[in-house]
Amino acid sequence: MPKNPLTPKVLRFIDEYLVDLNGTAAAKRAGYSARSAKAIAFQLLGKPAIAEAIAAAKADRSKRVQVDQDAILRNLLAAAHADRNGLTEFRRVCCRYCHGKGFQYQRTPGEMARDKAEHARRVAEHKADAKKPKPGRFDPQGGVGYHKLRDPNQDCPECFGEGIGETFIKDTRKLAPEQRAIFEGVEQTREGLKIKTMGRAEANALLMRHEGMLQDKVDHTTKGEKLPANAEPAVLNVTIGK
């Protein structure tokens, strides 16, 4: 009588594999050695009985959690097509001289009011004490109206029309649903804020795995060892027309 390959440990592997479809991670969580988890996962996934058990478990899951599964697939589809500019963008904005009168330094209205008040204070100090330096006439330079989000002026002699480059992270409280599908948090690093997202390739791969379009290639001749560098790691079950 042939030995049943679906041991309790293998059944645990199948349950763990259905969580994220990651064979190596599933093998580790099922209790297999971390050092050989990748090779063991290849071996297990290559056994017909285990492949059939996984397919049956997926079918059962579809019947049990149809609504939740549909929601997962909708999220993955949104993540695969989400515009990453909805989270971050690199933009060229005007410099302080781009739109100033005569291409001189331009202030915001608030800056102009503060600078005038500071100039008036120094004038008053000089009047009260002639020993203090007398300020010259207030220089409005390029006037008011600076807005950092205006486009660079192509005729600007200071930035030569290139403006200033900056990376901008959007307010994550106001993300669209498709951006929320890929947003995974923000991390403060020594270099500044780092936004974490699900990559487009990752989202597409997960979506294709759930739809059965992407299957792991198992090399049965090497007992689950890593495939050669020139071998394809996965097979697409789709046909592309001319």
Side-chain angles (χ1 to χ4, degrees):
M1 184 175 180
K3 185 178 179 181
N4 182 11
L6 300 180
T7 64
K9 198 170 187 178
V10 170
L11 291 174
R12 171 70 186 280
F13 167 79
I14 293 173
D15 287 341
E16 294 293 345
Y17 181 74
L18 290 173
V19 172
D20 54 12
L21 306 181
N22 185 318
T24 301
K28 292 178 183 178
R29 295 194 297 266
Y32 292 97
S33 168
R35 181 176 299 179
S36 56
K38 185 172 184 178
I40 290 172
F42 271 113
Q43 293 173 8
L44 294 176
L45 293 173
K47 294 181 182 294
I50 295 176
E52 291 174 5
I54 290 174
K58 284 183 176 180
D60 289 342
R61 182 181 64 180
S62 296
K63 294 177 182 178
R64 291 195 311 271
V65 293
Q66 187 66 45
V67 174
D68 290 344
Q69 191 177 63
D70 287 348
I72 290 172
L73 292 178
R74 282 196 296 269
N75 283 339
L76 287 174
L77 188 62
H81 296 286
D83 179 8
R84 269 60 184 170
N85 277 336
L87 286 170
T88 62
E89 61 185 29
F90 180 79
R91 57 196 187 190
R92 309 294 305 188
V93 296
C94 66
C95 75
R96 286 282 186 164
Y97 301 87
C98 277
H99 302 287
K101 294 179 181 178
F103 293 113
Q104 296 186 72
Y105 185 92
Q106 189 178 42
R107 297 176 173 94
T108 66
E111 289 170 339
M112 181 67 80
R114 288 191 294 272
D115 288 349
K116 283 184 174 180
E118 175 62 19
H119 181 266
R121 184 189 64 79
R122 293 200 305 269
V123 169
E125 285 184 347
H126 172 72
K127 288 181 178 179
D129 185 355
K131 294 181 179 179
K132 291 189 175 182
K134 181 180 180 181
R137 291 186 60 184
F138 179 77
D139 186 359
Q141 298 176 293
V144 297
Y146 172 72
H147 192 306
K148 68 173 294 183
L149 297 184
R150 293 182 69 182
D151 289 335
N153 186 334
Q154 297 303 309
D155 297 324
C156 179
E158 291 292 328
C159 70
F160 305 103
E162 292 189 356
I164 299 171
E166 66 171 22
T167 301
F168 179 74
I169 299 178
K170 303 292 183 68
D171 187 340
T172 58
R173 299 172 300 173
K174 302 176 182 178
L175 296 179
E178 59 270 21
Q179 272 81 49
R180 286 194 178 278
I182 62 173
F183 178 63
E184 296 181 350
V186 176
E187 179 183 358
Q188 180 69 58
T189 68
R190 288 192 296 180
E191 289 77 24
L193 288 178
K194 177 181 179 182
I195 189 166
K196 296 183 288 186
T197 65
M198 176 186 289
R200 193 182 304 278
E202 178 186 358
N204 276 320
L206 284 172
L207 183 62
M208 287 188 289
R209 285 183 188 279
H210 279 281
E211 288 295 296
M213 298 168 63
L214 189 65
Q215 297 178 346
D216 293 324
K217 178 186 282 188
V218 179
D219 186 354
H220 298 285
T221 65
T222 61
K223 299 181 179 180
E225 295 297 328
K226 186 181 293 186
L227 293 172
N230 60 351
E232 292 292 333
V235 177
L236 278 174
N237 295 329
V238 294
T239 301
I240 302 176
K242 294 182 179 180

